Amino acid sequence: MKISALNFSQSVSSVTRTKKQKRKKRWSVLKTDASDSVLSPDSVVALQCSLLQAGRPTLKRLKRKPMGRLLAGHERSENGKKDNSKKHKPAVVNGYANDDHKNEDTIMTNGFVGSEESKTSLEELENLDSDPDVDSNSWHPYLKYLAQNGSVTGDNVEYVAQDEDTEPIRASYVAAVNAGKGRCMVVMAPSQKLTFRGKCQLACLYGSVQVFGFSINPAQPPYDLFSPSSHCPLTIEALVHSSPGKTKKELRMRGKAVIKEHLSRADRQLLLKDFNSRYSILLLEDVETLATSFISGFPEFKHLFSVRLKERDKFGLELDKSPLASAGVLQVSADAGLIVSESGALAVEALIEACVEDDNGCPVIMVCGTKYIGKSTFTRYIINSLLNHIPCVEYLECDVGQTEFTPPGCLSLVKVTEPLLGPPFTHQKVPHRMMYYGEASCERDLQHYIEIIKSLWCSYKREVPLVINTMGWVKGFGLKVLVDLIRLLSPTHVVQLGARDRQDMPQLTPEYVCTAPGWHTKGKPQGKGIYMKQNQAEDSEQERDEPEGDLSFHSESSGHQLLSVLSEFSNAGDANNASCHSNILRDMATLGYLSQLQPLGPGHLLPLHSLTPFQVPFHAVAVRAVHCHVSPTHLMYTLNASLVGLCRIPDDFGSEVDSAVFLSHNPVCECFGIGIVRGIDMKRKLYYISSPIDVEKLRLVNCFLVGSVCIPAMVFKNQPAIEEALPYVSEKYNFCVLGAGKIKVKKMRRRREHRGYSLPSR
């Protein structure tokens, strides 16, 4: 291989030239004219080395200047003079101008910026590598780094350069380094977003980041992040941060000290060289909790924290080779993360302003919308955003099907002080007050549902802001119940979620709520006269009939601010294209609660039936089936191997015999938790109960309520760590017997008397 160069004899003979002309000649561009004398590759390399020595660059400048620019020199015009029309750009690190370096002529290798001649010289140097006679060991590693355009990937370090042609998924962070022991250090520039699947513990060592609306800085403790495939992926976004009274040099030195503390010398060299004071440093560590370990042990949820095959095939990711995988994090596209629309951001800002600046009282925020519209996700986002400004938020659960902090079928009032950085099954907690309804929908017994909401509302002291989550049933009677809840709870702000091409419910303006009919209340007619007087008389008569001290509905709405939020994610409000259906989410929430029964912690799971249960005598508790009428002779069959609410009723039934006690009505009483009826001993007249609640609270229980919320079927069939025969399961069941199959409820079919025609007469 031969390369044309400057005429060597001509360079040697120019002894009489001035020093200035010699300096220009040394830095002139290598010509490729065939008429010039041809030297061997060894001579060309020797000439290039001599030119570099003549420039005498310092070690600091040599590190910052690409090899191609040192060989090619500055751009020149046709007459041989410098062309100052194009000024050199500042140092670029992953697409961001590095203002910390004062030398504007310095161009870092990350985010390589050079002239076309420089790139041509790089190509020529790459061709030198193919010649066996060329000894290029000294410059080949550095040239390989330049050829990657600043992007270096190894077993421990992944250094990403920002370029115009770089895919968004490759520009989510500046660098990711495997720190060992299941940890990974991530360096992010402002506004960069890392969207991921998996679970990890995040500690912000330097700078500031935001996750799901909650801001995290070095002064805060580490937080557990859970991003399963059943929910929207979490996104870590780096924020712009500043420290008053600190210079950029002091901030940069503090960031470098953090890197030196957590990384070895070999892994931190690349980060220290190009570190910017505006960057944020995160430490991600693999985490395992009781809930995630227990749920992932079932075959149905084995890949719960893995990337879906569609996402893997779409982006062609080599997830196992990334340093992020060492911390249990698998990166996905940023488009798959949470999308907060402009209307949603404005609504959150209005709620924050109301909570911070409200002097008249604490705001009451009600979130409503149809099913699969993102109501629960946006509610968590609101709570996390409010926790950035206030220490505590109270949460009133009015959705019995998709509960946030408790198992399904419960209504509760919860005090929230920690951010919600995962789905409901990852943050099951003991509420301030809870009541057991026993069903996933309130349509069967609306009166009992309203009475429970009234009782929970009386427990709210109006000391902190309140966020209310409502049902997704917003059609027919569901809309009427929602109007009743607005009149009962009198929210100051109503956040109504909707989709662009869907109209599932009317706008809940104060005028509509005032005039619309409810299920329990009547709306005010817009006209005046006799009808208004009749309604006022009926309302006053209704108030006289209610017992003293009971909470009544407000006949006239006090007025609220309506915040309409547009959900812009795909398939918003479409139940047919939902990523995970509601019954699966209920099973996961139930399993998350039952995981608290495990005594040994993550990694040491035991079958639930192998745990020691509590013994409860028949006469100590009263029993009631709240979801349907069950004969007392069959109620024991209903209780066995079922979920029950462990409640306390104020009435003293005082049973003197050892027989079971049955209630005749559905009580409105406090619930301490959920338990499993392991078995019933009819001879000794004992119930065997397994529950994670404390023994002190269990002594207060005097009522068992059983509903339609049952134990997930996978607990019976595929429970982890089970080796012997499955309990409560038989293969000799005869499905040919009439009524032996599963009961199928067809809600869309109406009975004959409701179809609009009468029976034919004979």
Side-chain angles (χ1 to χ4, degrees), residues 195-240:
T195 306
F196 68 95
R197 295 285 190 193
K199 56 186 185 302
C200 66
Q201 186 183 75
L202 184 146
C204 184
L205 305 179
Y206 174 82
S208 178
V209 295
Q210 185 182 78
V211 182
F212 209 54
F214 184 74
S215 301
I216 304 175
N217 53 57
Q220 296 173 317
Y223 291 99
D224 294 340
L225 310 183
F226 303 96
S227 182
S229 58
S230 58
H231 291 73
C232 176
L234 292 182
T235 299
I236 303 174
E237 181 180 1
L239 304 177
V240 178

Side-chain angles (χ1 to χ4, degrees), residues 612-624 632 635-642 644 646 653 655 658-663 675-690 698 701-706 728:
T612 304
F614 297 100
Q615 296 181 2
V616 181
F618 279 4
H619 64 85
V621 294
V623 180
R624 172 69 179 176
L635 191 55
M636 292 300 177
Y637 296 102
T638 306
L639 284 175
N640 194 23
S642 299
V644 295
L646 307 179
F653 47 86
S655 178
D658 294 337
S659 60
V661 181
F662 306 106
L663 293 178
I676 299 178
V677 181
R678 276 275 313 278
I680 301 175
D681 191 343
M682 299 301 296
K683 294 182 179 180
R684 301 175 58 188
K685 300 185 183 302
L686 294 174
Y687 300 110
Y688 294 95
I689 304 295
S690 296
L698 189 61
V701 174
N702 61 359
C703 178
F704 290 166
L705 299 180
V706 59
Y728 310 106

